[in-house]
Amino acid sequence: MKNSNNTNSRRGFLKEAILAAGILPFSLDSDSAEQGISKKKIVVVGGHPDDPESGCGGTLAKYSKAGHDITIIYLTTGEAGITGKTHAEAASIRKAEAVNACKILNAKPVFAGQIDGDTIVNSEWLKKMRELIALEKPDIVFTHWPIDSHKDHQAASFLTIQAWIHSLKSFQLYFFEVMTGDQSAGFTPTDYVEIEATQELKRKAVFCHVSQDPDGIYTASHGAMENFRGREINAKAAEGFVRVTGKRSSGII
């Protein structure tokens, strides 16, 4: 028989260790209304269809299940992402894949209109991204880690950072990782979300992107990241984030 005092002590130590590690304190496992938490608006800005899903799909599913509103802004429609297809053909395929993924995550898709492989960071697009994000009135925004090998990921990140600055930091800003080691570089999470309960929903959303070899990229990269981040907080699976704002609102992050 286990000593209950020792068990409670170990649990208490683990709880303190997890909080110190930066797990997002908002409980996403039960209905927000029951917790007295008001509905929040979550926005994700990704470079291409499949980036938001693979980078933070488990977290988005938890927010959605808890009753919060999710919008995914895709900077491009993945025009250059299918070998042998024209930009128009690839865009049509990948947009449909993104819409299907958003249905699984119960998210609203928004397509910003830039071109895959030819993204732009200039005054015109800074203004457009500010307007797109402001229209959603977000409480929290997730976007790419800016130190990334893919310039479209960098563009999405820089445009979002500028929108945050010009909004007078009115929302909380977090970076997510994708294919760390191959793409995201130097990523060390400040915060985590445990995603065991929504890992399968995330997987289904990623696998909507049939044109991108989801089995290959998930097995080789994203699934491994979930397992590794989970081990860092003594969980089965987790997603890691880097917090930019340092601002914490009541009841969420």
Side-chain angles (χ1 to χ4, degrees):
M1 179 181 293
K2 294 181 180 179
N3 184 294
S4 60
N5 289 334
N6 288 341
T7 301
N8 290 335
S9 177
R10 286 195 297 271
R11 286 174 178 168
F13 175 80
L14 178 59
K15 181 178 179 181
E16 292 301 319
I18 288 174
L19 289 174
I23 285 188
L24 306 186
F26 171 50
S27 174
L28 296 165
D29 296 314
S30 57
D31 183 77
S32 297
E34 293 178 0
Q35 301 177 55
I37 297 170
S38 61
K39 181 180 287 190
K40 301 293 183 181
K41 185 58 182 281
I42 317 299
V43 170
V44 188
V45 181
H48 317 93
D50 87 351
D51 286 330
E53 296 90 319
S54 58
C56 57
T59 299
L60 297 182
K62 290 193 84 168
Y63 276 118
S64 178
K65 288 180 69 176
H68 302 286
D69 291 330
I70 313 292
T71 294
I72 298 178
I73 299 175
Y74 300 99
L75 184 63
T76 78
T77 320
E79 291 82 356
I82 306 178
T83 302
K85 299 290 185 182
T86 66
H87 275 201
E89 290 170 338
S92 178
I93 292 169
R94 297 198 68 186
K95 183 175 183 179
E97 291 173 344
V99 169
N100 288 336
C102 284
K103 289 178 181 177
I104 289 173
L105 298 174
N106 194 25
K108 179 179 77 172
V110 173
F111 298 92
Q114 288 218 37
I115 303 300
D116 182 8
D118 194 26
T119 51
I120 300 168
V121 177
N122 61 14
S123 296
E124 177 186 351
W125 274 99
L126 290 172
K127 180 175 183 291
K128 183 166 184 178
M129 185 57 72
R130 290 200 303 269
E131 291 172 348
L132 284 173
I133 293 176
L135 188 64
E136 300 298 326
K137 298 180 175 61
D139 298 289
I140 299 168
V141 175
F142 296 108
T143 193
H144 287 278
W145 177 239
I147 308 173
D148 193 290
S149 62
H150 202 307
K151 73 182 188 69
D152 292 347
H153 297 180
Q154 292 180 4
S157 185
F158 294 151
L159 290 170
T160 306
I161 292 168
Q162 284 295 313
W164 173 67
I165 291 171
H166 282 270
S167 76
L168 302 179
K169 305 176 183 178
S170 63
F171 52 82
Q172 296 170 291
L173 180 60
Y174 287 79
F175 297 126
F176 60 79
E177 59 185 327
V178 290
M179 299 182 72
T180 291
D182 292 325
Q183 293 187 347
S184 298
F187 188 93
T188 301
T190 60
D191 294 81
Y192 297 81
V193 171
E194 186 276 315
I195 64 165
E196 180 178 355
T198 55
Q199 191 174 24
E200 184 57 26
L201 277 177
K202 173 182 179 175
R203 188 177 185 278
K204 287 179 179 178
V206 172
F207 271 65
C208 285
H209 298 276
V210 177
S211 68
Q212 302 305 295
D213 181 25
D215 187 48
I217 62 172
Y218 196 90
T219 302
S221 182
H222 301 300
M225 284 194 314
E226 294 166 20
N227 295 335
F228 179 72
R229 296 307 179 197
R231 287 196 296 272
E232 289 185 314
I233 60 168
N234 198 36
K236 179 181 177 182
E239 290 171 337
F241 300 91
V242 172
R243 182 185 344 116
V244 182
T245 67
K247 168 187 172 185
R248 292 182 181 272
S249 63
S250 176
I252 190 163
I253 301 191

